[in-house]
Structures are given as C-alpha cells and as structure tokens.
Amino acid sequence: MTVSRALPQREVPTIGAWCFLDRFGPQRTTMRVEPHPHIGLQTVTWPLVGEIRHRDSLNSDVMLRPGALNLMTSGRGISHSEYSAGDGATDLDALQLWIALPDSARHGEPSFESHDDLPHAVLAAEEGQHAEAIVVMGTFAGTTSPATAHSPMVGAQVRLPAGTTVRVPLERTWEHGIALIDGDIRVHSGDDGSLPSPAEGDILYLGCQRDAVTVTSVSGARVFVLGGEPFEDDIVMWWNFVGRDHDEIVEARRAWEAREDRFGHVVTHDDTRVPAPPMPDVRLTPRRRRLGSR
Ligand code: MN
C-alpha cells in the first residue's frame, strides 16, 4: 500500500494540534492494518474513495464511507485495526490525520465516534460558483462539527468548482495549513500577495495572523483546511505514540509488547497484531513547535 506523508515536516511539526497527515491512495489495494496501539492522540480517518472497516478495543466495529468521519480518541491507550471492505483488492483513497491531545485529555479514557451527518458551510463566490465545505472537526466559517475536539481547531474539506474564487475565513490567532487533495489552487493573501501553490498531496503552511486567504481554482479542486490554536507542548512522536518525553514512549511500547490491559483487545481479532519496532539507540527528543511566523 502506498502512503504519502504531508505532516509532520522538518519545518512544520504541527499545525495547531494537528501533528500527522497521511494519504493512502488513490490505489487499488487490499488494506490490512492489523491491531496496533495508540496513545496521546485522536485519529481522524476521512475516506475519499472506498470503504474502511474499523474495529477497536472498545468493541467498535464500524464500516466507514466517504463523507463520514471516524474519530478515535486514544486517551491513555487504545488499539484498533483498519481493513478495506471485502476480501479482495478494492479502490481506496483516504486521509488519516492525528490530533495531539492536550494534557487534560491525554491521560483519560479512550473513546470512539463515527459521524455520518457532518454539517456543511458555504463559501460565497468572488468569481464563479460558491464552494461547499464539510466541517469535519472544530469550527469553520461559523459552523461547528459535532465531533469531540479537545482544543480549539478547524478541519474542513472544501470543494471548489472549476473557475471559482472564494474567500477562506481563518482565525487570526490560530495557525493554518491548506492540504491540496486534488485539482489545482492558487492562494492569495491581502498581506503577502500570491503564495506558493501546493502540489497534490502537499500542505501550504500559512502560519498565524491571517483573517482569510483567497483561493482560486482553474480546473476545480478539493482541499483540506487544517489549523487551530498553536499547540503549547513540545511533543515526542514515535511509531503510533504521541507523548512528551522518551520514557513515556518506552513505557507505552513495553506495555504493548507485554500485551498489558492498557491497550485492550480488538474485537473479533485473534492474537495477530503489529509488533512495535525496536527503539532507536538515541533518546527521543521533542519536535519543536515552530511559532506561527509566516
Ligand atoms: Mn492507527
């Protein structure tokens, strides 16, 4: 299975609390991600094409379809598996994002939510047609997702018709990025003029201190707008874990390898699971949050 990673990057470890963005697909494949653990994060699974079966250690067993959100909150520990639908190869394309949990939530109980009725917002056209947004997480253009967020944030998919220009509203005190899912965009800011155009699969990092950007698409595009209040803590990310220091990660890895109760058991699975990779020889150090300078 081909996976391309847009976050974290060397210069941009987090955007708000968003700390990870992978795209798997578009491709024809059989997805079999066997049970594996998480700590300290929420996973946002956002299918674009195909169906994904999610099972976890809270006895969730859910089939996820495009337009619906799976939101898994690990708290102190959870495990899950992700399979494409059916036995054979299938067309699959999806985003998976991680949100770092603040201290107030990262030691708490795990939970799982599925939302298939997310609210929409409309961005009025400056040229062409209006753009429709699905508000996946947090608040965008005055519309708030019902999904549980633990810090102020936005995650929204926006579809721009061909030949359209819209104003994308942003929160001045938050940092933001725009991930280009497909199509073409040009991004313009009243302060900075034209910004670099992201390629498909890339994120244009916008930093803080913006009220809005103007986005134009010639041939049509889908983008994912992500952002939030700059995340205060320096985080340590290793494998499927988000923590604050090396020792916390070592302990989570030990508990998974020892099959301790912390991560539970994924419903209807046997003992098959993803083993943790060995720890590196060096101590893990935090990713420094780049302050939202442009
Ligand atoms: Mn996972």
Side-chain angles (χ1 to χ4, degrees):
M1 200 166 68
T2 311
V3 176
S4 52
R5 181 157 303 170
L7 192 72
Q9 295 172 14
R10 190 181 164 80
E11 297 294 319
V12 183
T14 52
I15 301 177
W18 299 92
C19 59
F20 181 90
L21 168 58
D22 259 0
R23 168 103 176 252
F24 37 97
Q27 60 192 315
R28 191 163 180 81
T29 189
T30 309
M31 181 187 189
R32 294 287 181 268
V33 181
E34 300 295 352
H36 61 277
H38 287 288
I39 65 166
L41 56 78
Q42 291 178 296
T43 62
V44 168
T45 308
W46 183 247
L48 303 167
V49 174
E51 296 180 352
I52 298 169
R53 182 183 182 189
H54 163 96
R55 286 175 281 176
D56 65 33
S57 51
L58 305 174
N59 296 328
S60 314
D61 186 350
V62 172
M63 194 65 87
L64 183 64
R65 298 177 177 86
L69 162 68
N70 266 10
L71 177 66
M72 189 179 77
T73 303
S74 75
R76 62 186 301 276
I78 197 168
S79 56
H80 75 137
S81 68
E82 288 169 303
Y83 281 26
S84 50
D87 294 326
T90 185
D91 290 325
L92 196 65
D93 192 6
L95 302 182
Q96 182 158 87
L97 303 106
W98 295 357
I99 300 165
L101 288 171
D103 269 339
S104 56
R106 72 191 192 94
H107 304 294
E109 293 300 312
S111 63
F112 176 79
E113 302 166 28
S114 198
H115 296 275
D116 58 8
D117 195 17
L118 292 168
H120 288 222
V122 170
L123 305 181
E126 294 189 352
E127 274 178 51
Q129 301 168 261
H130 67 261
E132 186 120 342
I134 306 173
V135 183
V136 179
M137 289 295 299
T139 300
F140 181 65
T143 299
T144 299
S145 166
T148 304
H150 292 277
S151 59
M153 71 175 67
V154 55
Q157 179 183 285
V158 182
R159 194 182 65 79
L160 288 98
T164 288
T165 298
V166 293
R167 179 179 181 275
V168 174
L170 305 173
E171 286 287 333
R172 173 161 280 274
T173 57
W174 293 2
E175 58 182 341
H176 294 90
I178 297 179
L180 180 60
I181 299 172
D182 43 35
D184 71 277
I185 57 168
R186 282 184 295 128
V187 181
H188 191 271
S189 149
D191 301 318
D192 296 338
S194 289
L195 301 172
S197 291
E200 280 187 10
D202 284 351
I203 294 178
L204 172 66
Y205 179 70
L206 296 170
C208 293
Q209 304 297 317
R210 298 181 191 279
D211 295 316
V213 290
T214 302
V215 180
T216 298
S217 182
V218 175
S219 62
R222 277 186 302 177
V223 303
F224 200 91
V225 177
L226 65 169
E229 198 171 271
F231 198 72
E232 289 302 327
D233 296 357
D234 290 331
I235 59 174
V236 174
M237 275 177 63
W238 181 82
W239 194 39
N240 294 306
F241 302 141
V242 175
R244 297 295 182 273
D245 60 40
H246 177 88
D247 295 339
E248 205 179 304
I249 301 292
V250 169
E251 171 53 23
R253 181 188 183 281
R254 188 202 61 74
W256 174 248
E257 293 299 291
R259 298 176 180 264
E260 288 184 0
D261 287 344
R262 177 172 180 182
F263 296 108
H265 181 85
V266 180
V267 64
T268 70
H269 271 273
D270 58 17
D271 285 343
T272 306
R273 66 214 312 257
V274 180
M279 293 295 298
D281 290 334
V282 295
R283 282 184 72 80
L284 301 169
T285 53
R287 296 165 185 271
R288 291 258 163 238
R289 182 172 66 81
R290 177 174 117 164
L291 280 164
S293 58
R294 298 185 201 157

